[in-house]
Amino acid sequence: MRNVFLMLPLTLMLAVPAHADSVQGYCERDGKRISFSDGIAFVDARDAAGVVTTTIYLTAKALDRKALAACAACAEAPGENTFMSSRGDEIEGQRAAVADGWIELQHVGGELDMTSIVNIMYLSSDGVLTGLDGGNGQVVIGTNNPTRIAGKVTSEAREAPFNETDMKCEASFDLAVGWPKR
């Protein structure tokens, strides 16, 4: 009977599901609001010194991970810079996931150890790709390790006349790091 009580905590620990990805929040400017509901984070570059760039996409609709996994070039080891990567193109090509909007963030490790908003985009009703970034967005990373990255995207209001392009962001994410596998 004693062994049963010793095994019960171990069994319960194994029954707990893996940490699920979480994305929530929005960015808004000039009456256009992009509400985020899905996301992905992956190593997108590794330079000669071993500095890693992790790219994070938050999307308004669900990504098709099966289609992302089918990208043969995306499964290859990351190059030295993100410009040589086809991963972002694959994500942005999923119109069902990104038409209502997306935000792309990049965390660069090493001495820089910084995260920046690369772009906030959506497809307008006439099919034109439109940027939303007002320049007052901030990204704070709370967890960053080889398996998980979590953080928040916020904004700060600026005083006139510098607030003409202000946007408002309140979004958070907690994502496993990795490209989907076949």
Side-chain angles (χ1 to χ4, degrees):
M1 185 68 150
R2 185 178 191 162
N3 288 339
V4 170
F5 289 115
L6 291 174
M7 293 299 289
L8 185 58
L10 178 62
T11 305
L12 289 175
M13 284 180 14
L14 293 174
V16 174
H19 192 316
D21 287 350
S22 169
V23 173
Q24 57 190 8
Y26 68 91
C27 283
E28 182 177 277
R29 179 174 166 206
D30 298 331
K32 173 62 179 172
R33 179 179 275 221
I34 301 172
S35 297
F36 306 111
S37 62
D38 196 11
I40 187 169
F42 50 90
V43 173
D44 209 18
R46 178 175 281 120
D47 71 13
V51 174
V52 171
T53 299
T54 303
T55 298
I56 304 147
Y57 276 87
L58 307 181
T59 59
K61 302 249 171 104
L63 290 161
D64 181 348
R65 284 169 170 73
K66 187 174 182 179
L68 294 176
C71 172
C74 299
E76 296 173 4
E80 286 199 21
N81 62 62
T82 59
F83 299 111
M84 303 298 287
S85 174
S86 58
R87 293 172 182 92
D89 295 337
E90 286 295 316
I91 292 168
E92 293 171 21
Q94 286 194 8
R95 294 297 183 214
V98 300
D100 288 345
W102 77 90
I103 185 170
E104 179 185 357
L105 314 169
Q106 286 185 343
H107 176 269
V108 179
E111 288 184 30
L112 290 176
D113 194 28
M114 62 179 262
T115 306
S116 60
I117 297 173
V118 177
N119 58 47
I120 304 174
M121 307 294 286
Y122 69 97
L123 290 173
S124 62
S125 58
D126 61 1
V128 174
L129 187 62
T130 304
L132 190 68
D133 184 14
N136 63 323
Q138 305 171 14
V139 184
V140 176
I141 301 294
T143 300
N144 185 13
N145 61 52
T147 60
R148 293 213 77 69
I149 191 162
K152 294 182 180 192
V153 180
T154 59
S155 52
E156 67 178 358
R158 297 178 289 191
E159 293 181 19
F162 305 106
N163 62 350
E164 291 179 11
T165 60
D166 275 4
M167 67 177 174
K168 181 170 175 66
C169 288
E170 292 182 22
S172 62
F173 58 91
D174 186 348
L175 299 166
V177 177
W179 192 257
K181 303 230 186 286
R182 287 184 186 201

